[in-house]
Amino acid sequence: MVGFDDNPIGCFPLSWFNNGPLTTGATRAKFGGEVGSSLTFWPSMGSGQHASAGFGQAAYQRAAAVNPLGGGAVSATLAEAGSVTGSCYSVQITNNSSSFDWGTYLFFGGPGGSPC
């Protein structure tokens, strides 16, 4: 599990869901970034670099996985969803790479701007 200061990111204990429908399974998980603005100018996402800038420049998430109720981690199969505006933001997805350290990963980001 990829984390920050040895703590998993995006991993929530079952107890947080108060016996609601997500305690028996979810239908999807989201990875990536999000920005919002009530103005006409949209802010940058991540470093402000487009996905094509790659490692060390664009924002990224690697080893994207989900944990089924049966246990263990399963590599996620990602697809672009939501709004990605070419001149403002971009995403590049690689599902199930041969690299153990990277697995399923994505680069994303962009400078934002107006109009987006």
Side-chain angles (χ1 to χ4, degrees):
M1 170 92 33
V2 177
F4 178 76
D5 287 342
D6 296 322
N7 295 308
I9 296 174
C11 187
F12 305 103
L14 193 61
S15 62
W16 288 11
F17 297 100
N18 298 320
N19 294 317
L22 291 181
T23 60
T24 58
T27 57
R28 73 180 162 169
K30 289 185 174 184
F31 297 85
E34 186 173 331
V35 296
S37 175
S38 61
L39 307 172
T40 58
F41 182 85
W42 288 79
S44 61
M45 179 185 293
S47 66
Q49 298 293 316
H50 277 286
S52 60
F55 184 73
Q57 306 240 352
Y60 73 94
Q61 292 175 346
R62 64 185 175 103
V66 294
N67 297 319
L69 288 175
V74 176
S75 287
T77 300
L78 303 179
E80 188 176 310
S83 177
V84 177
T85 306
S87 63
C88 296
Y89 309 108
S90 60
V91 62
Q92 289 182 342
I93 297 169
T94 301
N95 284 304
N96 305 310
S97 75
S98 58
S99 167
F100 174 77
D101 290 336
W102 282 76
T104 291
Y105 63 93
L106 66 152
F107 288 104
F108 59 96
S114 178
C116 287

